[in-house]
Amino acid sequence: MENSEKLTNSKEVIAYIAEQFPNCFTVEGEAKPLKIGIFQDLAERLSDDPKVSKTQLRAALRQYTSSWRYLHGVKAGASRIDLDGNECGVLEQEHVDHAQKALEESKAKVRARRKEQAVAKAVAEGDAKPKKVREKSPRPRNVKQKTSKLDKKPVETTRALSADEVTVGKDVSVNMGNGNMPATIVEINKDDVRVRLTNGLTMVVKAEHLRS
């Protein structure tokens, strides 16, 4: 029966220790800064508890103290607390600075990942659009003979790259369906090519989507 009661992941462990020590841990809202060395206190208090091990407690504490809501709580003037909610001294400025830096870096990574996913999605959705344009393009060519000079310009600016032209450092255009985006080749892996857009984001595309 004891095996079935053991907690299986950090989320469950955090919920459990929040239940055991409600004046110290919380599962929602802004979290309070913890006493330095609180892991040893936890390990001693729960040493006879079959539900959690020291390894689980260490992993759960690492996840708890790296969460955004905990880092938000590590601010100037705040006091650390022990398992019973007693204050254990005001936070030092270096700890506040470290927490704020970690928070900003974490948020920046999330923003960058979302932007890259959005660009990749736009490219994926644009893959089907050029086919429709190619099917319609022969019709106006026979009718609009006077626009032959204009038709030559897009062909030259969107010429597909040859295998020899796909090289690191080359400035290219990425076919996005409704238009082309300027980029620079930064890495080549067989048919997959990583490019850096002018806004600084990088993405992986097929070589066939690159134009000169």
Side-chain angles (χ1 to χ4, degrees):
M1 294 296 292
E2 290 185 357
N3 291 334
S4 64
E5 295 176 355
K6 286 185 177 180
L7 305 177
T8 59
N9 57 58
S10 293
K11 184 178 180 180
E12 291 181 355
V13 174
I14 292 172
Y16 182 66
I17 60 179
E19 179 182 343
Q20 298 298 312
F21 309 101
N23 293 325
C24 180
F25 296 96
T26 176
V27 294
E28 59 183 16
E30 188 174 283
K32 296 180 180 180
L34 301 176
K35 168 190 173 184
I36 295 177
I38 200 167
F39 168 73
Q40 293 300 332
D41 296 342
L42 263 179
E44 290 178 7
R45 293 277 195 100
L46 300 177
S47 59
D48 297 327
D49 195 321
K51 287 189 174 184
V52 292
S53 65
K54 286 186 177 181
T55 301
Q56 288 177 309
L57 286 176
R58 186 176 287 105
L61 271 179
R62 188 180 300 112
Q63 179 174 316
Y64 186 83
T65 56
S66 62
S67 66
W68 287 7
R69 63 193 189 87
Y70 181 85
L71 294 175
H72 272 296
V74 181
K75 52 192 175 184
S79 298
R80 293 183 181 276
I81 58 173
D82 62 14
L83 293 178
D84 300 314
N86 299 316
E87 294 186 358
C88 300
V90 179
L91 285 166
E92 295 183 10
Q93 187 59 42
E94 62 179 310
H95 295 156
V96 174
D97 294 341
H98 177 76
Q100 296 310 307
K101 180 180 179 181
L103 180 61
E104 289 304 316
E105 289 178 350
S106 179
K107 288 184 176 181
K109 288 180 181 179
V110 172
R111 288 194 295 268
R113 185 162 57 250
R114 288 176 178 173
K115 287 182 180 179
E116 187 169 346
Q117 290 173 347
V119 173
K121 182 180 179 181
V123 173
E125 291 178 347
D127 285 345
K129 296 180 180 179
K131 296 180 181 179
K132 296 181 180 180
V133 174
R134 291 169 188 169
E135 292 174 358
K136 295 179 180 179
S137 58
R139 297 179 182 177
R141 285 178 186 174
N142 295 332
V143 177
K144 299 180 180 180
Q145 298 178 356
K146 295 182 180 180
T147 61
S148 58
K149 293 182 179 180
L150 296 176
D151 293 337
K152 292 180 181 180
K153 293 182 180 178
V155 174
E156 295 175 356
T157 56
T158 58
R159 177 178 61 81
L161 296 179
S162 65
D164 294 338
E165 291 178 302
V166 181
T167 57
V168 174
K170 182 175 180 60
D171 293 331
V172 297
S173 293
V174 181
N175 187 353
M176 302 293 288
N178 288 334
N180 298 312
M181 294 184 65
T184 302
I185 297 175
V186 296
E187 184 181 350
I188 301 172
N189 184 13
K190 295 183 179 180
D191 293 335
D192 293 331
V193 181
R194 181 176 291 277
V195 299
R196 180 180 289 106
L197 303 179
T198 54
N199 60 8
L201 294 178
T202 61
M203 58 188 295
V204 176
V205 299
K206 294 295 183 183
E208 61 192 45
H209 292 155
L210 300 180
R211 299 289 184 269
S212 63

